[in-house]
Structures are given as structure tokens and as C-alpha cells.
Amino acid sequence: MSRPIRLCLVTDIHHGKPSFTKAGPAALGLMEEFRRFVAETRPDAVLDLGDRISDEARDSDLVLEQEIAEAFAPIACPRFHIDGNHDRDHLDVADNDRILGRTAHHETVDLGDWRLVLWRADARLHRPDGFALVEADLIWLARIVRAADRPLVIVSHVPVSGHAQVGNYWFENNPLYATYPSADRIRAVLRQARVPVIWFSGHVHWNTLTMVDGIAHITLQSLTETFTTHGEPAGAFALLELSDRVLWRVHGRDPFEWSAERADLARRWMTPLPAFSTLFGSRMRQAAE
């Protein structure tokens, strides 16, 4: 049996000053731990899911982003970076591209029998309305899903599962800012997939697994978040192994593990029932007729 594809993931580094439960000053030290983990694991690629900094102002944000880019630089394997909302508050995409040495367009990368899909949708937070789903981003994703001839690992900053935020320090009372307002359109696109699909995101600062239509939606805890770890930074980063079986393991103070058979992730669920009032009303009319 061939060696599984291995990916190391980190998200929501939030390098900068302390901010509520984000331990920003610990970020660079925790990045050293992440680099050691990558060196030991020897992955095929490293994925950064965004929010590398806690934004302040344009000049200071440029410095913070540069420091995080330097923290990633010693990693020798291919690296892929996605922007989060805090990377975009005072900086534009071109600023992040220049600092990271990348071009932030949507991208696909074939890794063995799997296809990595970097969905770099607009992650700018438009206050007070939240995130905006750009039609061109959705069209690109739909084209990739329709044409897929192998299992897909899709990554983004913002999750699209629509999972509940009850208990979340940041989003229980601010669910508008936890996902795209029209995320149901994204899920409708995914439902058309004829191949196994897994979707990974950051942003919401906790580990979650949500199954929708047989598709696994997973969020990874922030590197520097403390609200689930009794005031200590979570130090979270993860290893994803892809073969006939999928294994997801989060390391740090907030560990999480999940596995599944690849084939099971290609099986879509039955379409949900309509509202009971509509369903039962229709049956009563049919009986009367």
C-alpha cells in the first residue's frame, strides 16, 4: 500500500497584541512548535487557513504579516496560504501576496489520488453586514466540483456548514459573522459532487465536525485561542492523512481526532423533507379529493 498523502494545517495564528481570548504574543513561539511538528511529520504540503495576525492598522499589520511570513519561511515543503478577515481589514490581497510570495487566486493541486482545492473566496468582513459571497467565487467552485474526477479536499478560511455556534465565545451571540449569509448556496453546489468531499476551515476558533449530505465539514482550533483551554493558548495544529481512509488528528491543548472511509464520503443523503405544515397539508388535500 502506498504512503498516505499527508498535510499539516494551522489556522488563526493571530500574531499581535492580546485581544480578548487570543494570546497573540504567544504566536511566534507556537510557530516554532509548528515548524518542529512539520519537520517530524514530513508532510506533502502545509496549509495556512488565514487570520495570521490580529489587525491594528496598516503599517503595523504589514510588520506583523512579515513576521509570520518569516516564521513560515524555514518550512521546505510546499506551502499554501489563505487570507482571513483579519489579514484583510487594513491590507489588500496584493499586500498579502507580496509578503507571502504567492498569487492569491483560487487554485487546485493534485496530490496522488486526491485533489486539493484552495477556495480563496472573499474573506473581507463587511461591517455591519458580515461576509459577502462573490458570485464569481461560487461559479469557480461549482465548475471544480462538477468536473471532479477524484476525491476533493476543499479549504477556506470561513466555514460553510452552517453549524451551530452555541457555546462559542466569539460567535454564539454573533452568528452573522461565523459564515457566509448565503452558505446554503455553497452547500447546494457541494451536494452535486459525485466524489468524496471534505471541507476544512478556520475562523470560528474551535474544533468541530459537521456532516452535511455525507460531506464532512471540519473546523480547526486557533493556534492562540484560550477560551476552550482554561486561559492557556490552544497551540492547535493538525495532521491530515489521505488514502482509502481519512485520518484527522489535532494536536495541542485542545486535541481532536476523526477518521472515515473515503468511499463513505461520496454517498449523498436523501433530500430533507419540506416543512411539515406543507407536507401534511398536501396529504390532507389528497385524502379529501
Side-chain angles (χ1 to χ4, degrees):
M1 183 176 178
S2 61
R3 173 183 177 273
I5 299 298
R6 310 181 92 190
L7 304 175
C8 288
L9 289 84
V10 66
T11 191
D12 295 87
I13 297 166
H14 285 291
H15 175 42
K17 296 177 181 177
S19 178
F20 295 91
T21 57
K22 292 179 286 193
L28 294 181
L30 292 170
M31 282 297 295
E32 290 184 21
E33 294 184 20
F34 178 64
R35 288 198 303 272
R36 284 194 292 271
F37 177 72
V38 170
E40 293 167 2
T41 306
R42 299 176 64 188
D44 297 280
V46 165
L47 306 179
D48 151 38
L49 303 186
D51 273 2
R52 290 174 289 277
I53 66 170
S54 288
D55 63 277
E56 302 172 20
R58 177 173 172 79
D59 288 347
S60 56
D61 287 4
L62 288 169
V63 172
L64 293 171
E65 290 280 5
Q66 183 62 47
E67 289 172 344
I68 289 297
E70 291 169 2
F72 275 110
I75 295 174
C77 69
R79 288 183 285 112
F80 301 97
H81 300 273
I82 291 175
D83 293 342
N85 48 291
H86 287 277
D87 306 311
R88 292 292 319 284
D89 269 354
H90 304 292
L91 305 178
D92 57 27
V93 171
D95 293 322
N96 286 277
D97 280 356
R98 176 176 53 78
I99 292 169
L100 295 167
R102 53 125 220 230
T103 300
H105 300 303
H106 302 305
E107 188 175 359
T108 64
V109 180
D110 286 350
L111 299 169
D113 294 336
W114 290 76
R115 178 164 295 148
L116 174 63
V117 180
L118 296 140
W119 194 54
R120 294 189 173 105
D122 181 20
R124 183 77 180 268
L125 195 56
H126 304 274
R127 297 177 178 87
D129 299 322
F131 295 103
L133 178 60
V134 177
E135 196 68 18
D137 292 335
L138 184 62
I139 291 171
W140 183 89
L141 180 65
R143 180 170 59 82
I144 294 300
V145 169
R146 282 196 302 268
D149 59 359
R150 64 190 65 199
L152 301 178
V153 173
I154 307 175
V155 295
S156 66
H157 178 65
V158 180
V160 303
S161 68
H163 72 275
Q165 298 298 318
V166 176
N168 188 293
Y169 175 84
W170 295 96
F171 298 109
E172 176 170 333
N173 297 310
N174 302 284
L176 173 68
Y177 300 108
T179 188
Y180 293 97
S182 49
D184 57 324
R185 297 183 64 204
I186 303 170
R187 295 192 297 272
V189 164
L190 297 179
R191 185 177 176 82
Q192 307 307 311
R194 301 178 184 275
V195 297
V197 179
I198 320 173
W199 189 298
F200 293 92
S201 305
H203 184 60
V204 288
H205 290 216
W206 62 4
N207 293 314
T208 68
L209 165 66
T210 307
M211 297 298 299
V212 183
D213 287 328
I215 295 168
H217 294 258
I218 295 172
T219 64
L220 172 60
Q221 172 63 288
S222 159
L223 185 69
T224 55
E225 182 55 67
T226 67
F227 91 82
T228 66
T229 47
H230 313 287
E232 294 294 324
F237 39 76
L239 174 65
L240 174 64
E241 294 187 290
L242 302 166
S243 60
D244 289 339
R245 187 166 183 82
V246 176
L247 176 61
W248 170 251
R249 183 178 292 121
V250 179
H251 298 258
R253 293 188 178 91
D254 194 357
F256 182 80
E257 187 171 321
W258 169 80
S259 63
E261 296 297 325
R262 178 172 72 178
D264 291 341
L265 298 169
R267 299 188 176 107
R268 301 293 160 256
W269 295 349
M270 294 179 67
T271 302
L273 284 171
F276 287 159
S277 58
T278 302
L279 181 67
F280 296 143
S282 174
R283 286 184 176 178
M284 290 178 67
R285 284 193 300 272
Q286 289 174 3
E289 291 171 356

